[in-house]
Amino acid sequence: MIKRESYMRRIRPFFGGELIKVMTGIRRCGKSVMLELVKQELLDSGVGAEQFITLNFEDLRNAPLCRSEALHAEILRRAAAIPGKAYLFFDEIQEVQEWEKCVNSLRVALDCDIYITGSNAKLLSGELATYLGGRYVEFVIYPFSFAEFLELYRTIAPEASGQQAFQKYLLAGGMPYLANLRYAEEPSRQYLTDVFNSVQLKDVVKRNMVRDVDLLERILAYVMANVGTTFSASSLSRFLKNEQRNVAPETILNYLKYCCDAYLFYQVKRQDLQGKQVLSTNEKYYIADHGIREAVFGGNLRDINLILENIVFLELLRRGYTVTVGKTGEKEIDFVCEKRAEKLYVQVTYLLATDETIEREFGAYAAIRDNFPKYVVSLDEFDRSRDGIKHRNLRDFLLAEKWD
């Protein structure tokens, strides 16, 4: 179990406080492990194990507690026997009906520190905003970064070079459980396919009462084939019409939103850098884990440009950046990244193999006159930096503690 210090660093300041700590993210990305890491640090700080109350609501033994009143009564009963503060850990809380009422009441009634996880972005919308507005802090948990993957993979294949490890990461992705399978190809593919099916069924179809599952599957296949490619709901509607499926763009947008709510995809809007406005059409979508794409759809090495973009995009999110696609005239910048007063631009490509590619990647910055850092990242081993634009090897870029 690796420490995932980048997350712990952000969660740690809230230990023992009254704010509810909410960890969200796609199924099997490591949220339950984060709860265990929090528990371990609390134990190390002197909290007694008898002060913990832990419930996983995917465990059928806890099915009787999946109603708010029943859960509330059970926690009050258990907490009465705890000396001092109670530490409550609720895993996959969305399985509990009206859980937000229960959690808010426990927050008021008990001297407690509450940690919850969930696999749906709707967890923090609607009624929750009413009951817990201003009383929670959210942490989105992602599958392993390349740095986290490398730390674990080297315990399994200590002789692997950085290049070999990255090749494995390109195909396997970052789902934590794969280390238990020692990244063996067939078991890993089976596991990732099962994760995908579980997300599709539990977090998309059942939660949103999707009736046309065939249509959903076609949309999923299209988006996975086109990760990182600009498209609109209208163009997807036309594509499906060619396959004899008439579907309104609004329906497609709804289905895509369901997938984003389940953290399967991330939508990235385009920004006109000259007009300083966010554009309302032709977004891009990236998948939460490129290993799932390889298992379900295949072709990660064939579509390596798209997958490298996907990997860099997720790394930017892990580091807390808000990301848009930049547009300047006819040119496009892969990622415009902002975080408080920070800003940087990133272009991603496989190799700077031709003069045309070099001109396209570096030339994308020609119309941008500010002094924020501008990067071109690729798998080239030689530094091609020029005109104040920094060229970085993609593996080094992912492993850098900070970008200068």
Side-chain angles (χ1 to χ4, degrees):
M1 187 163 68
I2 67 172
K3 294 294 185 185
R4 308 207 81 175
E5 179 59 24
S6 62
Y7 297 108
M8 293 303 297
R9 196 181 303 121
R10 299 204 294 271
I11 299 169
R12 204 173 281 124
F14 298 96
F15 282 4
E18 63 179 24
L19 291 179
I20 297 162
K21 278 65 72 178
V22 183
M23 298 173 218
T24 56
I26 190 171
R27 284 178 185 269
R28 308 291 172 254
C29 69
K31 300 186 297 295
S32 301
V33 170
M34 291 306 305
L35 291 184
E36 293 304 315
L37 290 171
V38 168
K39 283 189 205 173
Q40 190 56 56
E41 287 215 6
L42 290 171
L43 287 170
D44 293 344
S45 71
V47 175
E50 70 279 2
Q51 293 174 262
F52 295 162
I53 299 176
T54 303
L55 292 168
N56 183 336
F57 295 104
E58 287 195 316
D59 186 334
L60 275 176
R61 290 173 295 182
N62 293 322
L65 301 178
C66 285
R67 292 181 302 104
S68 60
E69 296 86 352
L71 177 60
H72 189 264
E74 177 66 9
I75 298 302
L76 290 181
R77 183 186 70 78
R78 293 197 200 181
I82 291 176
K85 185 186 288 285
Y87 292 81
L88 312 180
F89 299 89
F90 299 143
D91 207 356
E92 299 295 356
I93 191 73
Q94 75 275 354
E95 302 298 331
V96 178
Q97 296 173 20
E98 298 187 311
W99 65 269
E100 57 273 15
K101 293 181 181 179
C102 172
V103 168
N104 189 49
S105 179
L106 293 173
R107 182 189 63 78
V108 172
L110 294 176
D111 178 14
C112 62
D113 187 15
I114 304 175
Y115 301 81
I116 65 179
T117 78
S119 300
N120 198 285
K122 287 183 180 176
L123 201 69
L124 298 177
S125 64
E127 281 192 69
L128 180 55
T130 303
Y131 284 101
L132 298 180
R135 299 189 180 97
Y136 67 86
V137 57
E138 181 189 13
F139 308 93
V140 180
I141 310 299
Y142 302 96
F144 281 161
S145 66
F146 179 53
E148 291 173 319
F149 171 89
L150 190 60
E151 181 183 341
L152 210 50
Y153 188 64
R154 283 198 165 144
T155 66
I156 296 167
E159 303 302 316
S161 67
Q163 192 170 8
Q164 288 168 328
F166 189 71
Q167 180 91 353
K168 175 61 77 172
Y169 185 63
L170 274 173
L171 296 174
M175 283 305 208
Y177 188 79
L178 296 188
N180 297 334
L181 304 174
R182 302 186 68 79
Y183 294 99
E185 187 174 337
E186 280 309 313
S188 295
R189 179 178 283 113
Q190 179 65 52
Y191 173 77
L192 291 172
T193 302
D194 289 345
V195 169
F196 173 78
N197 290 337
S198 178
V199 171
Q200 179 180 303
L201 179 62
K202 293 182 180 179
D203 297 321
V204 180
V205 174
K206 284 189 175 179
R207 180 162 296 279
N208 301 286
M209 293 181 286
V210 172
R211 291 190 296 272
D212 195 340
V213 177
D214 174 69
L215 174 61
L216 174 67
E217 289 174 347
R218 288 171 188 245
I219 291 172
L220 286 169
Y222 183 92
V223 177
M224 281 195 287
N226 293 281
V227 290
T229 303
T230 303
F231 67 87
S232 66
S234 298
S235 64
L236 179 46
S237 177
R238 288 192 294 272
F239 170 80
L240 291 169
K241 190 173 183 179
N242 291 335
E243 294 195 339
Q244 281 67 56
R245 288 302 309 261
N246 285 322
V247 54
E250 292 76 16
T251 302
I252 292 170
L253 288 172
N254 285 336
Y255 280 25
L256 287 171
K257 186 177 186 306
Y258 300 156
C259 295
C260 291
D261 284 342
Y263 295 100
L264 179 61
F265 297 132
Y266 290 89
Q267 183 196 69
V268 188
K269 292 188 176 296
R270 294 191 309 148
Q271 178 184 174
D272 186 332
L273 297 176
Q274 293 170 324
K276 307 289 185 185
Q277 62 179 348
V278 174
L279 303 171
S280 59
T281 58
N282 293 357
E283 300 91 354
K284 288 187 177 185
Y285 289 85
Y286 293 94
I287 193 166
D289 180 71
H290 56 280
I292 290 177
R293 182 188 190 270
E294 175 65 23
V296 175
F297 182 78
N300 277 11
L301 294 181
R302 180 192 65 228
D303 302 325
I304 191 164
N305 259 324
L306 302 180
I307 300 309
L308 295 180
E309 250 189 64
N310 204 108
I311 289 170
V312 171
F313 170 71
L314 265 293
E315 185 64 25
L316 292 165
L317 292 190
R318 286 187 194 94
R319 299 195 186 203
Y321 287 97
T322 300
V323 183
T324 55
V325 176
K327 183 179 182 296
T328 57
E330 296 301 311
K331 295 180 178 177
E332 191 172 272
I333 294 166
D334 291 334
F335 302 123
V336 181
C337 321
E338 299 182 69
K339 179 169 62 174
R340 296 183 290 278
E342 289 182 52
K343 187 173 184 178
L344 57 89
Y345 303 92
V346 183
Q347 283 285 93
V348 184
T349 191
Y350 173 37
L351 291 171
L352 296 170
T354 66
D355 291 340
E356 181 186 354
T357 304
I358 293 169
E359 182 53 41
R360 183 184 69 237
E361 302 302 327
F362 284 88
Y365 294 123
I368 300 177
R369 304 300 183 194
D370 63 36
N371 294 318
F372 292 111
K374 300 168 182 67
Y375 289 94
V376 173
V377 297
S378 71
L379 287 178
D380 296 279
E381 301 293 340
F382 299 104
D383 189 342
R384 300 282 192 97
S385 300
R386 71 181 202 189
D387 303 328
I389 300 166
K390 302 170 185 182
H391 173 231
R392 295 287 184 269
N393 173 269
L394 193 141
R395 295 191 305 274
D396 294 341
F397 185 79
L398 295 173
L399 295 174
E401 284 195 21
K402 63 179 184 176
W403 299 315
D404 51 14

